[in-house]
Amino acid sequence: MSDTATGASPAMAQWFAIKARHEDALLFFRMGDFYELFFADAQAASAALDIALTARGQHQGQPIPMCGVPVSQAEMYLARLIRRGFRVAIVEQLEDPATAKARGAKGPLKRDVVRLVTPGTLTEEALLEAGRANFLAAIVPHGAQFGIAWADISTGLFETEATDTAGLPAILGRLDPAEIIADAGIELGPFETRRVGTQRLAMSVPATPEAARRELAQKFGAASLDAFGDFSAAEALAAATVLAYITATQMGAQPRLSHPASAGVAGQLAMDAATRASLELLAARGGNEAGSLLGAVKRTVSPAGARLLAGWISAPLNRLELLLERQTAWLALRDTGMAEPVRTALRGAPDMARALGRIALGRASPRDLTAIRAGLDVAARLAPLLPRGPRLLDAAAMALNPAPDLLETLQHALAEPAPLKLEDGGAIAQGYDGELDAERALRDDTRRIIAEFQTELAQRYGVASLKIRHHAQLGYVLEAPAVAVEKLRENPELLLRQGMANGARFTHPELSALDQRITEAAFRAAAREKLVFNWLIKQVLSAVQSLAACAEALALADVLQSAAQLALTGRFCCPELSEDTAFHIEGGRHPVVEAALPPGVSFIPNGCDLSPGQRLMLLTGPNMAGKSTFLRQNALLVVLAQAGLPVPAEAMRLGLVDRLFSRVGAADDLASGRSTFMVEMIETAAILHQAGPKSFVIVDEIGRGTGTRDGLAIAQAVLECLHNNNRSRAIFATHFHELYMLAEALLRLKPHTMRVKEFRGEVVFMHEVVEGAAQKSWGVHVARLAGVPEPMAKRAEMLLKSAEKATLATAPLPLFASLAPQAPVEEKPEPGADDALAEALAALDPDAMTPRQALEALYKLRAEALKTRPGHAEN
């Protein structure tokens, strides 16, 4: 490194000046073949990257910490830093050292930031996940609303939505942005670590909604933003903020973005953040796709198709006409037998959208052009395979032939295989450009001459081991072994330039002239290749809109064939969708659990009928019997159906759901100081405030986080509220088996239980949902399955039997009190009643009774108890 980093170094003065403008970013400071980092940047990067921390020079009497990464491997190191939440400013040398020397420049080379690499503005293939969108989002408050806009500059997607405080977490949960522009005071919850404040960059953000509208319209070449849809003031401000951030991070370079679209009018199935986390739509608890709904149903074969499928699953619709279009399209592929040919044609399809993104930003590599060529080739083969008739397939077929002349040009122009970088040479095919071929011939011919000249000099001087080498500073030189150095020094043609431990380097007049010829030929060839390459880039950019539409059509075809592949298995059906409140599933299965089963093990299907007359299912049964699986199973089938995809069931009829709520498996929130019970109650409150007749609710173990009586009281009150007030289609799973008695008073409540068999003292969980109510929890049996010591299990059994006897002698909660307020129940019966009741109870043998007999006995006991209380009449 020629520019030694010292306190007085001009290069370090550059570093200080640039760092002052980008204090919150690590500076990748280009010095020759390395990006160097200094001071605190070096300390942070060395720890994050596990590379050596050294020192170079001094500042204020102290060594300057330094580390560096090779320019050739920068992407690998950038990926690791970005994943750890760093932002990186790329500082490049803006002039060639040879050019600077030729013009007699003094001081360091010109350097400046050419780009800020942040989590939400990535374009490089090595830094992105192929099957996942990479969103930059901005949140701007305006009045009572929040505007949120998001863009993926790697693909060009750009959308907006308006919401309130309550709706913001759900949108963030759906998008999962990599970076969020939001001022302090806006609650981001689990996305707090992804916040970047608007003050961190010198952003030029419009001050008013009117100014934002004008700027957006000008940016996208329209007279008014209204040309693209109806945008609220908050949405316009958020969209302008996203554009301002992109401009600031890309140093003025403009990515290819589609015109803004308001996602708020798309008619989506609403799901809050807790529901999304519970259902694990795109990623399982560990963050991996395996174990998620997406992982279980994905049959796509291209990165773009995987991203689009993830978008459908994360944002299901509740607009019937759009869902029917999706169903009709994949059914056509299935029924015409074209699903497999389409799948075959799409195999190996490149990521055209992301290649276009890099081309638009001026970061194109030869492989981006070959991706466009390969994508056009796939499109040409795919178009004739798509059945005609369904609107989506007709539109896709039209978009799959965007630029036949461009395909022909790229086929002739691009070499195969393409080099990683244009500087590596060989990007343009031999025979495409005559001038380039001539320069290459001259360059390659002089290389042959070098080899011949080496042989000639070796013979001339009698040194067989004489070699011609290229040196970075000296150019072409003769390298001779130590034994021949003295002999060669006597020759007047040779000039000693450098001694080495094992020999010496000499220059020769003829070799110097040859060096100049080679350098000029290689330079001219590289310049001509760059000129041809840039011309090809212009041809692509002139057709960028049609190429983007082609990329979208390829992704759509991939998702549709993926759906058709599921349907062809015979185990996924096309759900019947309607605008009413129907909910009927026959033979439904949990797609994720079924996919995880080992070979030879079958998933036991279960139906679910939440027809208007029985829209509330009360589900009881022991742990390990499958209640939670059944709950999530039905919610996931709703998501798949309203994503327009096949569902794992024999048949399904669904009245479209407007809101989906899942309160299954809550945990404490230590960061916010909330206990498990508090989290449970907050989520329950959200359900009771927002769910309506067209919603679908699944709740599990309401009230389990507090005392038994408190829990039972809360569970009953929630159940009654869902039945009487919300009137939602719901499955309510509980261990409070007493609640089944509410079925007589709550007319639309239908008790169900998980079927269990007892055989010779063993309990067998059948994983079947049947009508009725559980009589036991079998908790001790589950404890045995978990491997607790047998003495503990026996002690638990003894305590359980004692508790059950004691419970029979005490009054349960007044399950019908809220329905019969005119008959308040006293806590204690009159004197004398206890003995009679105790005798009657002692005469019963619950284990020998059927559920009906037990219920009849309970009513008789209740009637006798009421007779002993003055002023009470039997209901």
Side-chain angles (χ1 to χ4, degrees):
M1 174 171 76
S2 59
D3 294 330
T4 303
T6 67
S9 165
M12 287 309 300
Q14 275 186 335
W15 186 90
F16 281 116
I18 296 172
K19 184 64 178 177
R21 304 199 312 266
H22 302 281
E23 294 181 353
D24 60 344
L26 302 181
L27 292 194
F28 264 36
F29 196 77
R30 178 73 176 266
M31 303 188 88
D33 293 333
F34 278 80
Y35 286 119
E36 307 284 15
L37 298 98
F38 301 102
F39 296 102
D41 288 3
Q43 293 167 336
S46 67
L49 300 175
D50 194 23
I51 57 178
L53 180 67
T54 62
R56 183 69 64 90
Q58 289 191 341
H59 177 67
Q60 295 180 351
Q62 298 295 322
I64 300 174
M66 186 196 79
C67 68
V69 300
V71 171
S72 60
Q73 300 176 37
E75 281 192 2
M76 176 184 70
Y77 290 106
L78 276 174
R80 292 166 63 182
L81 289 172
I82 293 300
R83 281 197 295 268
R84 286 163 173 79
F86 291 99
R87 302 165 75 247
V88 180
I90 306 296
V91 182
E92 288 288 358
Q93 297 172 172
L94 301 183
E95 57 183 343
D96 182 72
T99 304
K101 183 179 180 181
R103 66 178 174 83
K106 296 183 179 180
L109 299 173
K110 292 180 180 178
R111 294 182 177 89
D112 207 346
V113 176
V114 297
R115 177 190 172 198
L116 276 172
V117 184
T118 72
T121 58
L122 304 177
T123 57
E124 288 82 356
E125 189 173 357
L127 306 183
L128 293 164
E129 292 186 41
R132 180 178 178 179
N134 193 70
F135 290 128
L136 165 70
I139 305 171
V140 178
H142 185 76
Q145 277 192 326
F146 284 103
I148 179 167
W150 58 94
D152 184 344
I153 71 170
S154 71
T155 62
L157 185 143
F158 188 23
E159 293 181 334
T160 69
E161 190 166 343
T163 186
D164 55 17
T165 303
L168 188 58
I171 298 176
L172 292 177
R174 182 180 86 227
L175 298 175
D176 191 19
E179 191 171 10
I180 304 171
I181 309 164
D183 285 333
I186 299 176
E187 178 62 45
L188 298 184
F191 299 98
E192 180 60 40
T193 57
R194 306 181 192 182
R195 182 198 302 268
V196 54
T198 55
Q199 305 305 316
R200 292 177 70 176
L201 285 175
M203 292 168 48
S204 177
V205 181
T208 65
E210 293 72 24
R213 289 179 184 278
R214 287 194 300 270
E215 185 172 302
L216 288 165
Q218 181 180 6
K219 160 70 179 175
F220 293 99
S224 168
L225 186 60
D226 294 338
F228 306 125
D230 185 17
F231 297 87
S232 68
E235 287 177 280
L237 287 168
T241 302
V242 166
L243 289 183
Y245 188 80
I246 291 173
T247 300
T249 57
Q250 307 308 301
M251 302 302 147
Q254 295 299 315
R256 181 196 68 82
L257 291 178
S258 61
H259 65 73
S262 181
V265 299
Q268 294 178 357
L269 167 63
M271 290 183 282
D272 59 26
T275 296
R276 292 180 178 278
S278 169
L279 297 181
E280 300 176 339
L281 300 180
L282 303 184
R285 296 288 181 186
N288 297 321
E289 183 182 291
S292 68
L293 177 61
L294 174 63
V297 302
K298 186 172 76 172
R299 301 294 185 274
T300 54
V301 293
S302 70
R307 288 197 301 272
L308 182 59
L309 178 60
W312 283 19
I313 290 175
S314 65
L317 305 176
N318 64 3
R319 291 179 59 184
L320 185 60
E321 65 276 15
L322 298 180
L323 291 170
L324 292 179
E325 283 186 351
R326 292 180 181 181
Q327 288 184 346
T328 303
W330 61 257
L331 282 171
L333 288 177
R334 183 197 69 178
D335 296 342
T336 58
M338 297 308 295
E340 191 57 38
V342 166
R343 182 180 180 85
T344 301
L346 284 167
R347 285 191 183 278
D351 202 334
M352 282 183 69
R354 285 186 166 167
L356 283 173
R358 289 187 288 272
I359 289 171
L361 278 168
R363 298 177 191 144
S365 73
R367 294 184 181 181
D368 289 322
L369 280 185
T370 57
I372 301 300
R373 179 188 64 186
L376 290 172
D377 184 54
V378 170
R381 289 185 280 110
L382 178 64
L385 302 177
L386 298 181
R388 295 301 188 267
R391 192 194 69 82
L392 288 182
L393 293 176
D394 288 346
M398 290 182 61
L400 288 175
N401 191 26
D405 293 340
L406 178 61
L407 173 58
E408 184 177 355
T409 297
L410 295 177
Q411 285 175 331
H412 286 95
L414 297 176
E416 189 65 41
L420 184 62
K421 298 178 181 178
L422 183 61
E423 293 78 12
D424 296 339
I428 306 303
Q430 189 75 19
Y432 181 71
D433 181 77
E435 185 174 339
L436 175 59
D437 290 343
E439 296 293 354
R440 283 175 172 171
L442 179 59
R443 178 198 64 193
D444 296 339
D445 190 53
T446 53
R447 289 177 178 172
R448 176 184 56 79
I449 294 173
I450 282 284
E452 292 176 352
F453 190 46
Q454 174 181 291
T455 303
E456 178 187 337
L457 291 179
Q459 294 174 348
R460 183 189 304 179
Y461 300 129
V463 180
S465 56
L466 191 68
K467 302 293 183 184
I468 295 178
R469 307 284 191 195
H470 189 272
H471 188 270
Q473 279 77 39
L474 303 178
Y476 280 103
V477 294
L478 290 172
E479 287 190 0
V483 294
V485 170
E486 289 302 321
K487 178 181 179 181
L488 294 176
R489 289 183 67 173
E490 298 173 357
N491 193 304
E493 292 181 326
L494 300 177
L495 176 64
L496 178 65
R497 293 300 305 274
Q498 192 176 56
M500 302 184 297
N502 59 346
R505 291 180 175 134
F506 297 85
T507 58
H508 188 284
E510 293 180 49
L511 185 59
S512 298
L514 191 57
D515 186 2
Q516 185 174 355
R517 285 174 53 196
I518 293 173
T519 301
E520 291 175 352
F523 177 80
R524 288 193 301 269
R528 182 64 185 179
E529 186 165 35
K530 185 176 182 180
L531 186 68
V532 175
F533 183 82
N534 288 338
W535 181 83
L536 293 173
I537 291 293
K538 289 181 180 179
Q539 307 312 302
V540 170
L541 290 176
S542 67
V544 69
Q545 297 302 328
S546 58
L547 290 174
C550 177
E552 292 175 0
L554 289 173
L556 175 62
D558 196 10
V559 172
L560 294 176
Q561 71 79 22
S562 174
Q565 293 291 335
L566 287 176
L568 283 169
T569 64
R571 295 179 57 76
F572 282 70
C573 73
C574 182
E576 179 186 346
L577 304 177
S578 61
E579 297 281 11
D580 55 21
T581 57
F583 195 112
H584 184 79
I585 298 171
E586 296 178 16
R589 307 183 311 280
H590 193 300
V592 181
V593 174
E594 183 176 48
L597 291 176
V601 178
S602 299
F603 186 92
I604 298 174
N606 281 296
C608 183
D609 188 358
L610 303 179
S611 302
Q614 53 183 49
R615 61 172 176 254
L616 180 54
M617 176 187 290
L618 178 67
L619 182 63
T620 56
N623 287 315
M624 300 290 294
K627 295 195 303 299
S628 296
T629 297
F630 180 74
L631 290 170
R632 289 192 176 97
Q633 166 184 313
N634 289 286
L636 293 178
L637 264 62
V638 169
V639 170
L640 288 174
Q642 294 195 208
L645 301 171
V647 298
E650 295 176 10
M652 180 177 185
R653 184 169 186 272
L654 177 69
L656 293 184
V657 173
D658 62 352
R659 288 177 175 271
L660 174 61
F661 295 94
S662 171
R663 207 229 64 77
V664 181
D668 55 16
D669 183 356
L670 297 177
S672 302
R674 296 169 176 171
S675 67
T676 302
F677 182 63
M678 175 59 78
V679 172
E680 174 186 300
M681 289 298 98
I682 290 173
E683 295 175 2
T684 301
I687 294 172
L688 298 180
H689 282 300
Q690 300 176 52
K694 298 201 72 174
S695 303
F696 178 50
V697 178
I698 59 171
V699 290
D700 189 19
E701 309 298 351
I702 290 290
R704 64 181 172 178
T706 186
T708 303
R709 285 184 172 270
D710 282 352
L712 178 55
I714 291 171
Q716 178 179 337
V718 170
L719 194 61
E720 291 174 357
C721 193
L722 285 172
H723 182 276
N724 299 330
N725 300 344
N726 302 96
R727 303 172 68 84
S728 305
R729 292 164 287 183
I731 306 176
F732 190 104
T734 183
H735 276 297
F736 296 128
H737 304 152
E738 303 91 331
L739 294 176
Y740 84 93
M741 290 185 287
L742 289 170
E744 187 172 299
L746 303 180
L747 301 181
R748 288 169 292 277
L749 183 146
K750 194 77 170 179
H752 286 71
T753 187
M754 304 304 300
R755 188 177 169 211
V756 177
K757 280 189 175 181
E758 289 188 83
F759 180 72
R760 294 181 179 177
E762 293 294 324
V763 178
V764 181
F765 298 141
M766 307 302 294
H767 302 294
E768 293 180 15
V769 178
V770 295
E771 288 191 29
Q775 302 302 311
K776 293 183 179 181
S777 291
W778 287 280
V780 175
H781 174 72
V782 174
R784 278 197 171 96
L785 290 178
V788 301
E790 185 59 24
M792 190 231 86
K794 290 182 177 179
R795 173 63 175 163
E797 275 185 331
M798 183 182 71
L799 293 173
L800 177 62
K801 290 177 181 179
S802 298
E804 287 174 343
K805 292 179 180 178
T807 301
L808 289 174
T810 60
L813 282 177
L815 293 172
F816 301 100
S818 62
L819 308 177
Q822 74 281 5
V825 179
E826 297 178 3
E827 292 188 2
K828 295 183 179 180
E830 291 184 351
D834 283 346
D835 294 339
L837 286 173
E839 290 177 3
L841 288 170
L844 299 178
D845 184 4
D847 292 337
M849 301 171 71
T850 66
R852 179 176 293 276
Q853 290 171 338
L855 185 59
E856 289 174 353
L858 180 60
Y859 280 131
K860 289 179 180 179
L861 291 171
R862 182 173 180 273
E864 290 297 323
L866 289 174
K867 289 178 182 179
T868 65
R869 298 176 181 231
H872 288 70
E874 186 174 356
N875 290 331

